[in-house]
């Protein structure tokens, strides 16, 4: 994000803009470009969202994406094309399944299974908000990342990473307790809440309906903070010199559709940390407490 340029959600919609190409291995293929970030490797949410978009573009009978299970095999180059090959594993009346593999530099770097459901009448249940969500401040009463970081510096934070955290990720994110950018603000507890919404209305994406785009948006934004409860409880801020993290595997379930435009509440919890790996889980809720999606991810956490 250039200084003086208003932050925008376009980085997400640019990430999921796919170009059809001839398949080399499976049934369908698309290319997509990873988006700029100030790290040595591309953001993992690019791969999840791009694979979700590729899988959704292969299902043409109205079924909706309800789950994804992913492995990150190699880091992706930033600002470079990734080739996504989609294998049609099954098309049934009620459910369809796709395998998606991402290739870059001649090697497989990402693989996932995605499942789709036609939907049918059934009973409904939504879990109540956990204790963490009781008496949370409204997002309007919390500082944005840009406001929080204004005038701050230290650790491994650079001007580029500060600008990225402030407005370069496409979504406004506001933490409870405070962020873990430079220090772990607040107690070392294994949970946190993040209010988030796009900086501006999401643009249309060719080949996706708005509902499909919004599912891809959840898949995209979930990875930014899913390991933060583990970092918080271990007292490892992002700017700690030598800290290295990487996504290893990821699972996501989409329970019910909702437009991604207003504030969403992303409740997160650390599940485990051992042997250089940490497990985080999260749930997305609307402001009126509708449970939209659930995420579980394991990542490498290496505090060099």
């Amino acid at each position: 994000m250039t200084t003086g340029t208003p932050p925008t959600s376009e980085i997400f919609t640019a990430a999921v803009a796919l170009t059809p190409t001839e398949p080399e291995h499976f049934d369908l293929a698309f290319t997509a470009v990873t988006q700029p970030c100030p790290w040595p490797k591309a953001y993992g949410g690019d791969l999840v969202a791009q694979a979700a978009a590729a899988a959704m573009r292969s299902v043409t009978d109205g079924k909706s994406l309800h789950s994804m299970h992913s492995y990150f095999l190699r880091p992706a180059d930033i600002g470079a094309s990734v080739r996504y090959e989609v294998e049609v594993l099954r098309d049934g009346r009620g459910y369809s399944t796709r395998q998606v593999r991402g290739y870059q530099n001649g090697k497989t770097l990402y693989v996932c299974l995605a499942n789709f459901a036609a939907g049918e009448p059934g009973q409904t249940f939504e879990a109540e908000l956990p204790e963490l969500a009781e008496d949370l401040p409204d997002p309007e009463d919390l500082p944005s990342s840009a406001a929080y970081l204004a005038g701050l510096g230290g650790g491994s934070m650079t001007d580029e990473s500060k600008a990225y955290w402030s407005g370069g990720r496409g979504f406004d994110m506001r933490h409870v307790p405070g962020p873990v950018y430079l220090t772990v603000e607040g107690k070392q507890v294994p949970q946190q809440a993040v209010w988030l919404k796009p900086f501006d209305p999401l643009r249309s994406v060719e080949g996706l309906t708005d509902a499909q785009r919004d599912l891809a948006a959840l898949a995209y934004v979930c990875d930014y903070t899913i390991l933060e409860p583990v970092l918080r409880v271990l007292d490892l801020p992002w700017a700690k010199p030598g800290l290295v993290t990487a996504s290893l595997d990821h699972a996501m379930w989409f329970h019910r559709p909702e437009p991604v435009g207003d504030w969403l509440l992303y409740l997160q919890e650390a599940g485990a940390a051992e042997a250089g790996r940490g497990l985080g889980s999260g749930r997305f809720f609307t402001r009126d407490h509708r449970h939209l999606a659930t995420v579980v991810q394991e990542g490498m956490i290496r505090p060099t």
Side-chain angles (χ1 to χ4, degrees), residues 72 223 226-227 247-251 278-281 295-299:
F72 302 86
D223 191 26
I226 189 62
L227 293 180
S247 301
L248 296 174
D249 60 277
H250 176 281
L279 183 73
S281 62
V295 186
V296 180
Q297 179 167 299
E298 187 176 46

Side-chain angles (χ1 to χ4, degrees), residues 209-224:
T209 66
D210 287 353
Q212 290 174 326
R213 176 207 59 200
D214 291 344
L215 292 179
L218 294 181
Y220 171 85
V221 75
C222 73
D223 191 26
Y224 279 123

Side-chain angles (χ1 to χ4, degrees), residues 238-261:
W238 287 115
K240 179 179 175 62
L243 176 66
V244 179
T245 66
S247 301
L248 296 174
D249 60 277
H250 176 281
M252 190 164 190
W253 295 265
F254 304 91
H255 308 305
R256 48 187 56 85
E258 186 78 18
V260 175

Side-chain angles (χ1 to χ4, degrees), residues 169-190:
R169 299 184 291 184
F171 286 75
D172 191 345
M173 303 182 203
R174 306 188 180 195
H175 288 69
V176 183
V180 294
Y181 298 129
L182 297 173
T183 61
V184 173
E185 185 172 303
K187 296 180 180 179
Q188 288 176 231
V189 292

Side-chain angles (χ1 to χ4, degrees), residues 43-55 65-74 84 97-102 108-116 215-216 218-220 222-223 226 246-254 279-280 294-300:
Y43 168 53
D46 278 2
L47 306 182
V48 180
Q50 290 168 353
L65 177 66
H66 76 85
S67 68
M68 291 183 69
H69 299 266
S70 307
Y71 279 90
F72 302 86
L73 307 181
R74 293 179 176 88
Y84 293 93
T97 306
R98 302 290 187 263
Q99 178 184 235
V100 184
R101 293 192 185 189
T108 308
L109 54 81
Y110 171 89
V111 62
C112 85
L113 288 175
N115 217 51
F116 296 78
L215 292 179
L218 294 181
Y220 171 85
C222 73
D223 191 26
I226 189 62
S247 301
L248 296 174
D249 60 277
H250 176 281
M252 190 164 190
W253 295 265
F254 304 91
L279 183 73
T294 300
V295 186
V296 180
Q297 179 167 299
E298 187 176 46
M300 182 191 77

